[in-house]
mmCIF file of all heavy atoms in Angstrom:
data_model
loop_
_atom_site.group_PDB
_atom_site.id
_atom_site.type_symbol
_atom_site.label_atom_id
_atom_site.label_comp_id
_atom_site.label_asym_id
_atom_site.label_seq_id
_atom_site.Cartn_x
_atom_site.Cartn_y
_atom_site.Cartn_z
ATOM 1 N N ALA P 300 71.845 147.120 -10.090
ATOM 2 C CA ALA P 300 71.384 146.188 -9.059
ATOM 3 C C ALA P 300 72.380 146.148 -7.904
ATOM 4 O O ALA P 300 71.986 146.063 -6.733
ATOM 5 C CB ALA P 300 71.197 144.796 -9.654
ATOM 6 N N LEU P 301 73.679 146.235 -8.228
ATOM 7 C CA LEU P 301 74.710 146.260 -7.179
ATOM 8 C C LEU P 301 74.524 147.460 -6.266
ATOM 9 O O LEU P 301 74.513 147.323 -5.034
ATOM 10 C CB LEU P 301 76.099 146.300 -7.818
ATOM 11 C CG LEU P 301 77.265 146.613 -6.869
ATOM 12 C CD1 LEU P 301 77.462 145.485 -5.876
ATOM 13 C CD2 LEU P 301 78.542 146.879 -7.647
ATOM 14 N N VAL P 302 74.381 148.643 -6.846
ATOM 15 C CA VAL P 302 74.220 149.856 -6.043
ATOM 16 C C VAL P 302 72.929 149.793 -5.234
ATOM 17 O O VAL P 302 72.874 150.232 -4.081
ATOM 18 C CB VAL P 302 74.266 151.105 -6.945
ATOM 19 C CG1 VAL P 302 73.995 152.367 -6.127
ATOM 20 C CG2 VAL P 302 75.620 151.216 -7.627
ATOM 21 N N ALA P 303 71.872 149.231 -5.816
ATOM 22 C CA ALA P 303 70.608 149.086 -5.092
ATOM 23 C C ALA P 303 70.776 148.199 -3.865
ATOM 24 O O ALA P 303 70.234 148.491 -2.790
ATOM 25 C CB ALA P 303 69.534 148.519 -6.018
ATOM 26 N N LEU P 304 71.548 147.118 -3.999
ATOM 27 C CA LEU P 304 71.786 146.222 -2.865
ATOM 28 C C LEU P 304 72.663 146.881 -1.813
ATOM 29 O O LEU P 304 72.433 146.733 -0.612
ATOM 30 C CB LEU P 304 72.448 144.928 -3.359
ATOM 31 C CG LEU P 304 71.539 143.961 -4.123
ATOM 32 C CD1 LEU P 304 72.365 142.884 -4.803
ATOM 33 C CD2 LEU P 304 70.534 143.334 -3.181
ATOM 34 N N LEU P 305 73.682 147.627 -2.264
ATOM 35 C CA LEU P 305 74.589 148.284 -1.323
ATOM 36 C C LEU P 305 73.870 149.373 -0.536
ATOM 37 O O LEU P 305 74.050 149.500 0.677
ATOM 38 C CB LEU P 305 75.782 148.877 -2.076
ATOM 39 C CG LEU P 305 76.744 147.879 -2.725
ATOM 40 C CD1 LEU P 305 77.766 148.615 -3.592
ATOM 41 C CD2 LEU P 305 77.455 147.040 -1.681
ATOM 42 N N ILE P 306 73.044 150.157 -1.216
ATOM 43 C CA ILE P 306 72.331 151.250 -0.556
ATOM 44 C C ILE P 306 71.119 150.739 0.217
ATOM 45 O O ILE P 306 70.872 151.152 1.352
ATOM 46 C CB ILE P 306 71.874 152.298 -1.589
ATOM 47 C CG1 ILE P 306 73.083 152.961 -2.256
ATOM 48 C CG2 ILE P 306 71.008 153.378 -0.923
ATOM 49 C CD1 ILE P 306 72.720 153.932 -3.370
ATOM 50 N N GLY P 307 70.381 149.837 -0.392
ATOM 51 C CA GLY P 307 69.113 149.405 0.188
ATOM 52 C C GLY P 307 69.213 148.316 1.234
ATOM 53 O O GLY P 307 68.297 148.157 2.048
ATOM 54 N N CYS P 308 70.311 147.544 1.219
ATOM 55 C CA CYS P 308 70.431 146.423 2.157
ATOM 56 C C CYS P 308 71.640 146.539 3.077
ATOM 57 O O CYS P 308 71.755 145.782 4.046
ATOM 58 C CB CYS P 308 70.521 145.094 1.398
ATOM 59 S SG CYS P 308 69.096 144.759 0.357
ATOM 60 N N GLY P 309 72.569 147.443 2.764
ATOM 61 C CA GLY P 309 73.737 147.609 3.622
ATOM 62 C C GLY P 309 74.681 146.429 3.619
ATOM 63 O O GLY P 309 75.394 146.202 4.594
ATOM 64 N N VAL P 310 74.728 145.670 2.530
ATOM 65 C CA VAL P 310 75.613 144.507 2.472
ATOM 66 C C VAL P 310 77.047 144.963 2.191
ATOM 67 O O VAL P 310 77.283 146.014 1.605
ATOM 68 C CB VAL P 310 75.170 143.506 1.386
ATOM 69 C CG1 VAL P 310 73.820 142.922 1.732
ATOM 70 C CG2 VAL P 310 75.118 144.173 0.015
ATOM 71 N N ARG P 311 77.994 144.164 2.625
ATOM 72 C CA ARG P 311 79.400 144.426 2.345
ATOM 73 C C ARG P 311 79.714 144.026 0.902
ATOM 74 O O ARG P 311 78.934 143.327 0.259
ATOM 75 C CB ARG P 311 80.295 143.639 3.303
ATOM 76 C CG ARG P 311 80.100 143.994 4.772
ATOM 77 C CD ARG P 311 80.978 143.120 5.656
ATOM 78 N NE ARG P 311 80.869 143.466 7.067
ATOM 79 C CZ ARG P 311 79.970 142.963 7.900
ATOM 80 N NH1 ARG P 311 79.086 142.076 7.451
ATOM 81 N NH2 ARG P 311 79.938 143.329 9.170
ATOM 82 N N ARG P 312 80.890 144.451 0.446
ATOM 83 C CA ARG P 312 81.292 144.132 -0.927
ATOM 84 C C ARG P 312 81.353 142.620 -1.132
ATOM 85 O O ARG P 312 80.838 142.091 -2.127
ATOM 86 C CB ARG P 312 82.659 144.757 -1.221
ATOM 87 C CG ARG P 312 83.245 144.381 -2.563
ATOM 88 C CD ARG P 312 84.607 145.018 -2.760
ATOM 89 N NE ARG P 312 85.543 144.620 -1.716
ATOM 90 C CZ ARG P 312 86.827 144.985 -1.696
ATOM 91 N NH1 ARG P 312 87.304 145.764 -2.639
ATOM 92 N NH2 ARG P 312 87.620 144.599 -0.729
ATOM 93 N N GLU P 313 81.982 141.900 -0.185
ATOM 94 C CA GLU P 313 82.104 140.446 -0.307
ATOM 95 C C GLU P 313 80.732 139.779 -0.254
ATOM 96 O O GLU P 313 80.475 138.792 -0.941
ATOM 97 C CB GLU P 313 83.002 139.887 0.798
ATOM 98 C CG GLU P 313 84.437 140.364 0.751
ATOM 99 C CD GLU P 313 84.625 141.732 1.388
ATOM 100 O OE1 GLU P 313 83.616 142.320 1.858
ATOM 101 O OE2 GLU P 313 85.769 142.221 1.409
ATOM 102 N N GLU P 314 79.828 140.341 0.574
ATOM 103 C CA GLU P 314 78.498 139.759 0.715
ATOM 104 C C GLU P 314 77.674 139.960 -0.548
ATOM 105 O O GLU P 314 76.861 139.099 -0.903
ATOM 106 C CB GLU P 314 77.791 140.386 1.917
ATOM 107 C CG GLU P 314 78.450 140.056 3.248
ATOM 108 C CD GLU P 314 77.843 140.806 4.406
ATOM 109 O OE1 GLU P 314 77.161 141.825 4.171
ATOM 110 O OE2 GLU P 314 78.048 140.386 5.556
ATOM 111 N N ALA P 315 77.866 141.076 -1.217
ATOM 112 C CA ALA P 315 77.129 141.334 -2.461
ATOM 113 C C ALA P 315 77.447 140.265 -3.496
ATOM 114 O O ALA P 315 76.570 139.830 -4.253
ATOM 115 C CB ALA P 315 77.477 142.723 -3.001
ATOM 116 N N GLY P 316 78.718 139.829 -3.540
ATOM 117 C CA GLY P 316 79.093 138.783 -4.486
ATOM 118 C C GLY P 316 78.580 137.408 -4.089
ATOM 119 O O GLY P 316 78.367 136.549 -4.945
ATOM 120 N N LYS P 317 78.359 137.198 -2.776
ATOM 121 C CA LYS P 317 77.918 135.897 -2.284
ATOM 122 C C LYS P 317 76.396 135.751 -2.275
ATOM 123 O O LYS P 317 75.882 134.640 -2.199
ATOM 124 C CB LYS P 317 78.433 135.669 -0.864
ATOM 125 C CG LYS P 317 79.936 135.498 -0.753
ATOM 126 C CD LYS P 317 80.342 135.302 0.702
ATOM 127 C CE LYS P 317 81.836 135.139 0.863
ATOM 128 N NZ LYS P 317 82.212 135.010 2.290
ATOM 129 N N LEU P 318 75.678 136.862 -2.308
ATOM 130 C CA LEU P 318 74.216 136.808 -2.252
ATOM 131 C C LEU P 318 73.683 135.979 -3.412
ATOM 132 O O LEU P 318 74.022 136.216 -4.567
ATOM 133 C CB LEU P 318 73.646 138.225 -2.313
ATOM 134 C CG LEU P 318 72.164 138.393 -1.993
ATOM 135 C CD1 LEU P 318 71.900 137.971 -0.551
ATOM 136 C CD2 LEU P 318 71.732 139.829 -2.213
ATOM 137 N N ARG P 319 72.846 134.998 -3.099
ATOM 138 C CA ARG P 319 72.383 134.055 -4.112
ATOM 139 C C ARG P 319 70.934 134.326 -4.502
ATOM 140 O O ARG P 319 70.152 134.868 -3.723
ATOM 141 C CB ARG P 319 72.523 132.608 -3.584
ATOM 142 C CG ARG P 319 73.945 132.260 -3.171
ATOM 143 C CD ARG P 319 74.071 130.800 -2.781
ATOM 144 N NE ARG P 319 73.947 129.912 -3.908
ATOM 145 C CZ ARG P 319 74.954 129.637 -4.744
ATOM 146 N NH1 ARG P 319 76.135 130.194 -4.590
ATOM 147 N NH2 ARG P 319 74.768 128.809 -5.740
#
Side-chain angles (χ1 to χ4, degrees):
L301 168 67
V302 176
L304 287 168
L305 293 172
I306 296 175
C308 300
V310 295
R311 299 177 177 88
R312 174 181 59 176
E313 296 82 359
E314 294 173 342
K317 292 179 181 177
L318 192 63
R319 303 185 70 82

